[in-house]
Amino acid sequence: MTTSPQPPLPLDTSRAHPARVYDWLLGGKDNYPVDEAVGEKLPPEARDAARQNRQFMHRAAAWLAGQGIDQFLDIGTGIPTEPNLHQIVQNLVPSAKVVYTDNDPIVLRHAEALLISRPEGATDYIQADVRDPQAIVRHARHVLDFDRPIALSLIALMHFISDEQGAHGIVRALVDTLPSGSYLILSHAASDLYPELVEQVVAEYARGGIRLAFRTRPEVERFFDGLDLAGPGLVTATEWFAGTQAPEPEGSGIYAGVARVR
């Protein structure tokens, strides 16, 4: 399957981008000096958080595939890092369909890696911004059946969207398009777990031109309003697991949860 046709966005290498900083934190090579400059000034816990986010996504996606969910909409995909979400879920459900979305043009350049689907399944890539949920859903409908359950994945994304930009309303708009039996997978940087590190992280991202909106546990829990949190509920990224062996105990400044749409 090919990427959904959209006009290309210009690649700005003069300013850092969250997807490329995340790639650097994960040890990737698809970033620029401006991204590296941000990453190098972050505390070591930032690399831990990137890894923990990725591992949470793997566990949550595998658990949902094991529950029979075979459609995934992953927004804020980031630069491909194996195993990618479709590799996780299609290993369990070969016929699964996955739609990826990101607003960084460099991710589009690497989208072929995201489109290597099993023959029984399908993958697609949309270049779009979460702040335009209607456009994302409009494109996703070409691949996903919105009359059947879909897992919406928002991994380490919404802390880049401020309250003034309507973060909670954006998630609600996306969730409202999903049928009953769908799921929301969400992880989010905490402002109240390691407050001594938050100021440094926010400041370094700001110097790179990236605004952060870390949130407290109640503020993150609001993203799940009206949904049924699956066990173990809203916990840290290293505490969330279901159907798999518990991860090694480790501190984390990331909240994570998976919730079912009623």
Side-chain angles (χ1 to χ4, degrees):
M1 179 174 292
T2 58
T3 56
S4 296
Q6 303 115 54
L9 296 174
L11 180 59
D12 184 0
T13 61
S14 66
R15 297 183 61 183
H17 189 281
R20 302 196 304 263
V21 176
Y22 191 61
D23 175 72
W24 186 89
L25 291 171
L26 288 171
K29 304 298 182 184
D30 296 304
N31 49 76
Y32 293 92
V34 289
D35 310 301
E36 183 178 356
V38 173
E40 284 185 332
K41 294 178 182 177
L42 295 175
E45 290 83 356
R47 288 196 179 199
D48 293 336
R51 171 180 51 80
Q52 292 164 355
N53 262 306
R54 197 75 184 170
Q55 292 171 344
F56 161 68
M57 182 274 284
H58 291 167
R59 293 193 298 272
W63 179 69
L64 288 177
Q67 302 300 302
I69 301 298
D70 62 357
Q71 300 191 107
F72 290 78
L73 174 56
D74 181 53
I75 304 177
T77 298
I79 295 163
T81 303
E82 291 194 358
N84 294 296
L85 189 148
H86 73 279
Q87 294 166 320
I88 297 290
V89 301
Q90 289 184 347
N91 185 52
L92 297 166
V93 184
S95 60
K97 297 180 179 180
V98 178
V99 172
Y100 292 106
T101 305
D102 205 285
N103 70 344
D104 185 358
I106 197 172
V107 181
L108 179 62
R109 292 185 180 183
H110 295 272
E112 286 186 4
L114 297 170
L115 298 174
I116 304 175
S117 171
R118 290 207 177 192
E120 307 96 316
T123 61
D124 197 9
Y125 179 79
I126 303 167
Q127 185 173 290
D129 195 299
V130 71
R131 290 169 293 186
D132 190 358
Q134 292 82 8
I136 291 174
V137 171
R138 184 168 60 251
H139 284 295
R141 288 185 185 277
H142 293 297
V143 178
L144 306 179
D145 180 357
F146 278 71
D147 291 325
R148 297 177 50 248
I150 295 170
L152 169 64
S153 176
L154 302 172
I155 300 296
L157 174 64
M158 298 313 296
H159 50 245
F160 294 105
I161 307 296
S162 67
D163 290 343
E164 291 77 12
Q165 293 172 309
H168 290 93
I170 289 169
V171 174
R172 174 50 52 191
L174 288 164
V175 169
D176 283 348
T177 67
L178 305 178
S180 176
S182 295
Y183 283 85
L184 170 63
I185 311 169
L186 184 142
S187 65
H188 194 293
S191 63
D192 53 357
L193 290 177
Y194 294 95
E196 69 278 8
L197 297 177
V198 170
E199 184 176 350
Q200 178 186 356
V201 172
V202 171
E204 295 302 340
Y205 269 94
R207 289 187 184 97
I210 300 171
R211 183 180 179 185
L212 287 175
F214 286 13
R215 293 183 170 90
T216 63
R217 189 183 189 283
E219 290 169 336
V220 175
E221 197 166 28
R222 276 186 57 201
F223 288 112
F224 297 98
D225 281 354
L227 308 179
D228 296 324
L229 276 162
L234 181 62
V235 293
T236 67
T238 54
E239 293 173 323
W240 196 97
F241 69 97
T244 60
Q245 183 177 353
E248 290 294 321
E250 182 182 15
S252 175
I254 304 294
Y255 286 121
V258 177
R260 187 179 187 275
V261 178
R262 297 171 183 168

